[in-house]
Amino acid sequence: MALSISVLLALWMLCSSPAGSLDCDLPLSSGNFTLLSQMERISILSCLTDRTDFRFPQTLVDGSQFEKTQAMAVMHEVFQQILNLFGTSGSLTTWDETLLGKFLSGLYRQLSDLEMCLRKEKGVAESPLASENSRLAVKRYFRGISMYLKEREYSHCAWEIVRVEISRCLFFVNKLTEKFRK
């Protein structure tokens, strides 16, 4: 399902709110939304035939099932997977190096902030099975994205479809983050 430009713009605007916290100073992904938008190299409209359903994990859509530490563990996995995906050599040849560097730096900062939060929450009990199942769902989702890119030979349209999908992913991570604000 492809998202129109106006829907993407609306999602970006919804997610551009000031940073929140999870009992620590964990920022929302609004800066990364801006960078992903700026990274657009070709119109998504020219890539509609490349669309695919990546089977976004419903556990992220319905974050109500998560306790705070479970949500943080899932968000950690999402950020790590996005870093892995956009840190590949195929990504380096597709995107503007400066924007990609800023995007990766922003993700790394978020990952570091999240790791700090997880250390603070370490004493809080979490269900290891629920957290692990959700993290595995996230890994499967990103494995599907990686396989899609490989099958499409890392084409510009394939990366554009992935860029839009990662925006969607970050939108749901932001929703999950907002759930646990003080």
Side-chain angles (χ1 to χ4, degrees):
M1 164 170 97
L3 297 173
S4 71
I5 305 259
S6 58
V7 171
L8 286 173
L9 183 59
L11 288 175
W12 175 78
M13 290 174 70
L14 282 171
C15 298
S16 296
S17 59
S21 68
L22 294 168
D23 287 346
C24 60
D25 195 19
L26 184 65
L28 294 173
S29 298
S30 58
N32 288 329
F33 278 107
T34 303
L35 288 167
L36 274 175
S37 176
Q38 292 172 351
M39 287 168 64
E40 180 179 4
R41 303 225 32 208
I42 56 176
S43 170
I44 188 71
L45 299 175
S46 66
C47 300
L48 293 180
T49 57
D50 290 77
R51 292 179 304 177
T52 191
D53 180 4
F54 290 109
R55 303 193 193 285
F56 190 80
Q58 290 301 305
T59 56
L60 290 181
V61 175
D62 180 27
S64 63
Q65 70 179 356
F66 290 123
E67 295 298 321
K68 183 169 38 178
T69 48
Q70 292 170 332
M72 288 191 293
V74 169
M75 288 186 286
H76 184 276
E77 188 64 45
V78 167
F79 292 143
Q80 185 63 58
Q81 293 293 326
I82 294 172
L83 276 167
N84 292 345
L85 185 67
F86 279 85
T88 64
S89 60
S91 177
L92 294 172
T93 61
T94 302
W95 307 113
D96 174 271
E97 283 185 48
T98 303
L99 291 174
L100 179 62
K102 288 178 181 178
F103 178 66
L104 292 174
S105 293
L107 283 172
Y108 183 76
R109 263 192 315 278
Q110 282 187 288
L111 189 63
S112 296
D113 290 347
L114 188 54
E115 287 171 353
M116 226 171 28
C117 289
L118 280 168
R119 282 193 291 277
K120 287 180 183 179
E121 295 291 327
K122 196 172 185 177
V124 178
E126 75 170 276
S127 167
L129 182 58
S131 179
E132 189 59 29
N133 286 342
S134 298
R135 290 174 66 198
L136 286 173
V138 169
K139 285 181 180 185
R140 272 192 305 275
Y141 167 68
F142 278 95
R143 189 175 327 113
I145 291 173
S146 294
M147 288 172 52
Y148 166 83
L149 284 167
K150 185 176 181 178
E151 289 167 3
R152 304 284 178 160
E153 298 178 350
Y154 302 94
S155 72
H156 288 292
C157 271
W159 272 111
E160 185 60 24
I161 296 294
V162 168
R163 184 190 66 79
V164 171
E165 182 69 16
I166 296 305
S167 294
R168 178 178 178 225
C169 182
L170 290 175
F171 170 76
F172 286 109
V173 168
N174 274 354
K175 285 185 72 158
L176 197 55
T177 301
E178 289 173 343
K179 178 185 180 222
F180 294 105
R181 285 184 176 188
K182 285 185 180 179

